[in-house]
Amino acid sequence: GVCGAYQTLGLRISDPHGMEAGGDADGLGLLPVTTTLAREKTTRAVAGRTPGGVQFGGYEIHLGDTRPHCGADIAPFAILEDGSRDGARVPGVIGTYLHGALEQPDVCAELFGIERPVASSKTEEYERLADWFEVNGKTEWCRR
């Protein structure tokens, strides 16, 4: 999940300042993280690397501050150039605030355990991704 989808994959989203609907909401509970919406939006271009060493660029644009629940030690999606950690990885679920990261063929190759896609267009890359989901049993939604 990227951005709001990342937040939704967590345990809880709190909105103490009423920036969206206000109050608290349960997440899907697929990542051991909690999010608190801030008063000001984070917007910035970033560079980072995956745990496997793939370097890439992306950008953040979000209100949330997402942290491991109760100090859990969670593998990050990426390490940013300033040394901070972004996102979370657990078996079968990944969350990040980094828009554009999944448009990088080498990042996708690492995440999905496939050879680096060699495609002539973004459409072709999406087709390869849909094929991967089909092979791995996720066919009910990937071709809609």
Side-chain angles (χ1 to χ4, degrees):
V2 178
C3 201
Y6 168 37
Q7 296 170 349
T8 303
L9 290 170
L11 300 169
R12 192 152 194 77
I13 302 170
S14 298
D15 185 6
H17 311 293
M19 300 306 291
E20 298 287 334
D24 295 334
D26 289 335
L28 295 174
L30 298 174
L31 288 173
V33 298
T34 57
T35 299
T36 302
L37 298 186
R39 288 185 190 271
E40 294 190 28
K41 189 174 282 194
T42 297
T43 56
R44 65 182 183 151
V46 297
R49 64 176 168 73
T50 65
V54 175
Q55 297 201 1
F56 66 94
Y59 66 94
E60 292 180 87
I61 181 165
H62 59 89
L63 278 173
D65 177 25
T66 302
R67 298 179 183 260
H69 183 68
C70 295
D73 185 24
I74 306 166
F77 172 76
I79 306 297
L80 303 183
E81 61 190 345
D82 66 4
S84 63
R85 297 162 58 115
D86 168 78
R89 292 183 184 208
V90 299
V93 183
I94 298 169
T96 180
Y97 277 123
L98 303 180
H99 296 266
L102 298 177
E103 294 181 23
Q104 308 297 320
D106 290 333
V107 171
C108 291
E110 179 182 320
L111 287 178
F112 301 115
I114 59 175
E115 291 184 33
R116 183 186 190 279
V118 178
S120 60
S121 69
K122 191 179 280 191
T123 299
E124 190 174 318
E125 291 176 19
Y126 285 133
E127 285 299 316
R128 286 178 50 91
L129 183 59
D131 291 344
W132 181 89
F133 277 108
E134 187 173 303
V135 168
N136 289 280
K138 309 292 185 205
T139 59
E140 56 274 358
W141 59 268
C142 68
R143 294 232 185 244
R144 289 185 188 162

